[in-house]
Amino acid sequence: MSHDTSAPTIEAVGLRKRFGEVEALAGLDLVAEPGRVLAVLGPNGAGKTTFVRTLATLVRPDAGELRVAGVDALRHPERVRRAIGLAGQYAAVEQAMTGRENLRMVARLFGHDRRRARAVADAVIERLGLAEAGDRLVRTYSGGMRRRLDLGASLVGAPRLLLLDEPTTGLDPRSRNELWDAIRALVATGTDVLLTTQYLDEADQLAHRIVIVDHGRVIADGTPGELKSLAGRDVVEVRARRADDLPALAAALAPLGAGEPRTDTATSRVAVPVETGRAAVAAAVRVLDDIDVEVDDIGLRRPTLDEVFLTLTGRPAEAADEPAETDTRGEQDELVASR
Amino acid sequence: MSTTTVPTTVTAVATAPAAAIEPPAGPPGPVATALTVAGRSVRRFVRTPQLLVVSTTTGAMFLLLFRYVFGGAVETGGIAYVDFLVPGYLVTSVLFTGSEAATGVAEDMEQGVTDRFRSLPVSRAAVVVGRVLAEWLLLTLGLVVTAAIGVAVGFRPDGTALEVAAAFGLCSLFGFAALWLFALIGLTAGNVQAAQGMSLMVFPLSFVSSAYVPVDSMPGWLQAVAEHQPVTVVTDAVRSLALGDPAAAGLDGSTAGSVGLALAWTAGLVAVFAPLAVQRYRRP
Ligand SMILES: Nc1ncnc2c1ncn2[C@@H]1O[C@H](COP(=O)(O)OP(=O)(O)O)[C@@H](O)[C@H]1O
Ligand SMILES: [Mg+2]
């Protein structure tokens, strides 16, 4: 194809898009190099979907410049469409067709002839581990299988850049893992990927580089490790039995931490960022021995997006840590469809 | 695709079995696009038996209700009510079928299907045309079923075979025109609920017309509206053709004149709403 493969996959300069009162993109700058997986991480309403839809030529920005695969997306959107594959926030597959039929249809719309469309659909369905279910109506698929098929649909045109908007939101952990595997396998074949997510661990699992967006702007940019170190390497978290004890608990844990302890009264937890991981847990246990506080639980975990976010912005990423609306129908289907 | 995009770690990934997919030679032409899109709509319809059953039974139910409940009360100037009703019923049925297309189009927008299609290297106009053609085919099949039910409940057209065929064709053409309006409604609404809300206008359009009762039974101000709206114009033409007699259909003029007016309305609706719908799909 005619695309310049040494050019950055994405070059966005000062992208702005306003919907009424809301500035969904507020001067977003981003350059993505070829051969990498880029995660755009941000809370609900940060502008992730608007950015992806702008890349996919579905939204026209009010201002700014955008090149995708070296093509000016505002001047030649039709050329950009030959270079991208989109899997949006919802699985956009036809329930009344089989998995294979869905992929064949999209393959035809990418421009494959009938015979090639058939071959490509078969190859992709195999690759996604859906071969057995491939001749069943999508209606009978679980939420996770639908998402995988949707991913497949964005692949059949062999796009240079894949755009995945919150590919695992609403999936149960098992389906999420399966989808992660599918995405990793893709990356290994050399497709560039931009994915959005609300979860730091997802970005961590899949991406070489993470860009954190908030209010339509990039507020941090780095490798997963770099970003997490902003909020301390690890977090020790302790749950008190009685909420009254939380101040005493926070005071006792403060000296262990690399930063201020955070108290969550709703869940009776104190979290403190630490540098030394397991050693810090041991230290915490010793400290707790010395004070008269009953503790239900003590643990070590990685920083969450919320904590990175708090460090960066001084305010919590509302709802970013809560699992988004769960696709309960998908989970029920999972039972029906499990082999 | 160039191999320069392969990450250097690729050699370590022994589990990546798949060979790269060859990209297509170029984007598909408009005909292939329209046919592919149409194929989806047709499959969707055929494979959703609930849809078939529900639409056929509601169609039959209302026809039976009108025929047997109103039949005795409506004065239709010398012809049997069933002969008066069925042509009008066929014409308005395309509005009800068409409004389901609006819902389907809006559902696609809600569920990201429209985003996917718009992100593909296809002619967007061809996508809309393919969809409308498929819906038209389905709507015409629905007309056959409804007409058969009409005959089953006693409808006996007196027109020549050619006139009856023309009456049917006119219903179908009017349905084609209406589908463009409903495609526009679905695209503008953007979600199923709003599309259903906007489609409610089908009710006044159907009832304030000559489809179910003679217009001269309405109050004067309503007559003025009813006489000049397309459902009445098309119904009068279809009825006049089917009965083979403009006077029996309550017309002052000739069948040809009334058919001409109906065709003009149909063409006008297409001329207005088809470009608007395509435009709307192209530029959200
Ligand atoms: N089509 C639209 N009309 C009006 N507001 C919109 C539209 N799309 C997005 N927004 C608003 O823009 C902001 C960013 O939305 P979005 O890009 O969907 O964020 P995210 O995907 O990160 O959750 C939100 O406040 C959202 O309500
Ligand atoms: Mg979003």
Side-chain angles (χ1 to χ4, degrees):
Chain A
M1 293 188 90
S2 59
H3 308 295
D4 176 0
T5 42
S6 61
T9 322
I10 299 167
E11 280 178 278
V13 184
L15 283 186
R16 290 184 179 275
K17 180 69 190 181
R18 179 177 278 286
F19 296 108
E21 291 288 284
V22 185
E23 196 157 37
L25 299 177
L28 190 140
D29 298 306
L30 187 150
V31 176
E33 298 304 329
R36 324 228 75 197
V37 179
L38 177 69
V40 173
L41 176 69
N44 235 329
K48 303 182 297 293
T49 297
T50 306
F51 181 49
V52 168
R53 297 184 81 242
T54 307
L55 289 170
T57 74
L58 304 173
V59 166
R60 204 179 162 80
D62 302 329
E65 290 169 35
L66 180 63
R67 269 175 300 281
V68 178
V71 176
D72 186 330
L74 305 182
R75 273 213 205 107
H76 304 290
E78 70 294 336
R79 276 165 61 193
V80 170
R81 286 179 211 132
R82 291 186 220 172
I84 57 158
L86 170 71
Q89 202 164 345
Y90 306 98
V93 285
E94 173 53 62
Q95 313 249 1
M97 300 195 328
T98 69
R100 264 181 237 278
E101 284 172 341
N102 264 284
L103 295 187
R104 272 184 225 145
M105 173 180 75
V106 180
R108 291 283 285 149
L109 295 176
F110 266 114
H112 288 295
D113 63 34
R114 216 172 281 280
R115 197 181 51 81
R116 291 279 308 147
R118 188 173 286 270
V120 166
D122 287 348
V124 168
I125 214 146
E126 183 79 35
R127 188 194 287 190
L128 293 174
L130 290 169
E132 250 176 79
D135 293 319
R136 280 204 335 243
L137 294 187
V138 172
R139 219 181 256 152
T140 67
Y141 282 24
S142 70
M145 290 162 78
R146 275 177 217 178
R147 281 297 183 96
R148 262 187 288 159
L149 186 66
D150 193 49
L151 176 66
S154 65
L155 275 178
V156 288
R160 173 165 167 206
L161 171 65
L162 264 189
L163 303 168
L164 310 178
D165 193 8
E166 299 201 22
T168 65
T169 295
L171 293 187
D172 58 274
R174 200 192 78 192
S175 309
R176 176 172 299 199
N177 276 318
E178 285 172 355
L179 203 77
W180 282 355
D181 287 342
I183 295 171
R184 284 195 199 99
L186 270 180
V187 174
T189 62
T191 311
D192 293 345
V193 177
L194 177 137
L195 64 94
T196 74
T197 179
Q198 299 190 32
Y199 309 106
L200 183 64
D201 67 327
E202 177 157 289
D204 193 10
Q205 287 280 335
L206 298 173
H208 300 111
R209 181 178 152 216
I210 300 176
V211 165
I212 301 187
V213 291
D214 184 37
H215 294 312
R217 221 182 256 118
V218 174
I219 59 167
D221 182 345
T223 64
E226 283 164 1
L227 291 179
K228 274 184 291 181
S229 65
L230 290 174
R233 285 172 47 88
D234 293 296
V235 175
V236 171
E237 194 171 62
V238 181
R239 192 165 88 216
R241 176 151 300 170
R242 287 187 310 272
D244 310 349
D245 289 335
L246 287 173
L249 190 59
L253 292 173
L256 304 177
E260 285 292 297
R262 275 210 300 139
T263 304
D264 183 352
T265 40
T267 59
S268 293
R269 283 173 209 269
V270 173
V272 57
V274 298
E275 292 298 339
T276 50
R278 247 175 288 167
V281 180
V285 171
R286 280 194 301 277
V287 167
L288 292 175
D289 262 351
D290 296 342
I291 60 170
D292 184 25
V293 168
E294 276 186 88
V295 166
D296 272 346
D297 195 15
I298 177 163
L300 183 69
R301 59 169 174 75
R302 317 305 303 270
T304 60
L305 169 62
D306 206 22
E307 281 153 344
V308 175
F309 212 80
L310 189 72
T311 313
L312 288 169
T313 64
R315 65 179 174 81
E318 318 91 90
D321 271 332
E322 273 132 52
E325 18 60 269
T326 319
D327 184 354
T328 44
R329 202 174 95 206
E331 271 164 68
Q332 282 164 3
D333 290 352
E334 189 83 44
L335 293 176
V336 178
S338 58
R339 285 143 281 191
Chain B
M1 199 174 257
S2 154
T3 49
T4 54
T5 57
V6 178
T8 45
T9 52
V10 72
T11 46
V13 186
T15 50
I21 298 163
E22 278 292 308
V31 174
T33 301
L35 286 177
T36 306
V37 170
R40 172 201 170 221
S41 291
V42 171
R43 283 199 184 107
R44 187 186 167 85
F45 185 76
V46 172
R47 297 202 189 146
T48 317
Q50 311 89 289
L51 220 65
L52 281 166
V53 173
V54 169
S55 59
T56 317
T57 46
T58 13
M61 183 182 74
F62 277 104
L63 186 51
L64 293 176
L65 286 175
F66 280 123
R67 155 102 176 76
Y68 292 107
V69 177
F70 296 160
V74 180
E75 180 48 56
T76 46
I79 60 167
Y81 182 65
V82 67
D83 289 334
F84 177 88
L85 173 68
V86 171
Y89 191 84
L90 283 170
V91 171
T92 55
S93 78
V94 306
L95 296 181
F96 288 93
T97 314
S99 71
E100 281 160 29
T103 314
V105 167
E107 195 181 1
D108 276 1
M109 299 204 47
E110 211 171 64
Q111 299 187 342
V113 176
T114 308
D115 271 3
R116 149 116 344 113
F117 283 1
R118 276 185 179 140
S119 77
L120 293 168
V122 295
S123 148
R124 291 182 176 182
V127 173
V128 186
V129 170
R131 174 71 180 252
V132 167
L133 288 179
E135 300 285 352
W136 187 30
L137 173 74
L138 299 173
L139 175 146
T140 303
L141 291 177
L143 277 175
V144 172
V145 174
T146 310
I149 298 171
V151 171
V153 296
F155 174 54
R156 295 292 175 269
D158 287 328
T160 63
L162 198 65
E163 281 172 324
V164 172
F168 185 87
L170 191 51
C171 289
S172 171
L173 273 182
F174 182 59
F176 177 70
L179 280 170
W180 284 107
L181 168 63
F182 287 113
L184 179 63
I185 287 179
L187 290 168
T188 309
N191 69 71
V192 170
Q193 268 194 328
Q196 280 169 344
M198 290 165 83
S199 296
L200 286 179
M201 57 121 190
V202 164
F203 284 93
L205 263 180
S206 303
F207 281 86
V208 186
S209 78
S210 65
Y212 308 140
V213 298
V215 169
D216 54 25
S217 68
M218 297 174 193
W221 60 274
L222 207 54
Q223 281 188 31
V225 177
E227 261 165 20
H228 297 101
Q229 64 115 328
V231 176
T232 297
V233 172
V234 176
T235 298
D236 288 350
V238 170
R239 191 176 280 140
S240 182
L241 281 168
L243 301 180
D245 176 6
L251 297 185
D252 298 330
S254 69
T255 300
S258 130
V259 169
L261 195 56
L263 286 175
W265 260 106
T266 305
L269 289 173
V270 175
V272 171
F273 291 114
L276 284 175
V278 168
Q279 178 68 8
R280 182 88 207 175
Y281 193 82
R282 277 217 183 109
R283 294 202 178 285

